[in-house]
Every structure is written in structure tokens, then in C-alpha cells.
Amino acid sequence: DIDAAGIERQIAALRIQLQDHAVLTRSRAAYDAIFLLNAFLDAAHDAVSSHGGWIAGMTGGGIIAVFGRDGELAAACRAAVAASAVMDVALDRLNERFAAELGGPVKAAMGLACGPAYIGRIGAGPAKPLTAVGVAIDVASDLAAQAERRGTQLLADPTIFRHAGVDASSCEVLALSEGAASQDVFAVSQARG
């Protein structure tokens, strides 16, 4: 029972982060900053939920999503990759709304990884939301942070593409040497491709 003790699963994790969210929100009135963040987070939620994922955690400018809580890893990986493509397309709609006002496009930085995770209710006091922790979560988060630093949309652990059956021959391969994702990864400029 997940509620009582938690479970271990092989999952796919997708981190979606609003690039430069601190800069984008710092120069705006509170209402405008919250409106922009909510629009971005709603788009991320819709992309994830449309492919059977769920939000395992949220920070100011992003979410961590989990796929495969109840299924097999290959299907979870396919769903996470598809959700990243949906998020890429959703950025077009966000930019129709906000790009002129912001003086540039709304961009996402995403990280994709798969592997083991513990799923359970974690928290302090009475609030213990269902969440996930583990290597896959850490790697996806680290990849999204590195994608933002490098100005690319998506960094993916090659394992997730292999399980998803994605042909990555057109992807750029980057050698990372820092953080939880110290390995070769695929860099994708547009997830919809």
C-alpha cells in the first residue's frame, strides 16, 4: 500500500523548468509574476497528465513528473518522452500570450531520466503528499538544470530513449561531468521532433 509504507518502482521522470524564471518574475508585479508562473505550470501539468503522469513535486518555476507508477518501464518512458513533446508545443501557445510582453520567448528546460524511485507519502506535519524520491528523480532534475545552463530545451539520459524506442541518431551527444548526470546524454533543441 503506497499510503502506508511506500513502494519501489522503475519509473520515468520528467523535470520541466521555466528557463530564467527568477529574472522573468523579478521585474514584474506580483500579480503578473504569479499569472505567468501559473500559466506555465498549468501547461506542464496538462502535458504530463495527458500522458498518464503525475506531479511528484513542484518548485517555484517547475515541476517533477513521474510516469509508470503502476505500469511497465518501456510504456513509462514512451509517455514521458511524449509529454516533453506536448510541453514543447504548449510553449507556442504560451508565447502567443506572453512573448511580446516579456520581450522574448517563454522557454522550458527539461530533463528526462528513468530508473528506480521510492513512491510514498512524504512530508512534515499533517501534509504528506504522494511524491517520489530516488536516482531517476535526481538525474532528471540535474539534467533540466544543466539544460537551462546550456540554453537547450531538453537533456535526456540515453536509457530513457532506448526504453522508449526513440531513434536518437539525430540528437547531439554531450558528455557531462558534473552532478547526478555525469555521463553522455542526448541534447534536443525541440522536444516535438
Side-chain angles (χ1 to χ4, degrees), residues 58-79:
M58 190 172 295
T59 60
I63 57 109
I64 188 77
V66 172
F67 301 80
R69 179 174 63 181
D70 301 319
E72 62 144 23
L73 185 58
C77 292
R78 286 190 299 274

Side-chain angles (χ1 to χ4, degrees), residues 43 67 107 118 143:
F67 301 80
K107 297 179 185 176
Y118 299 123
L143 287 173

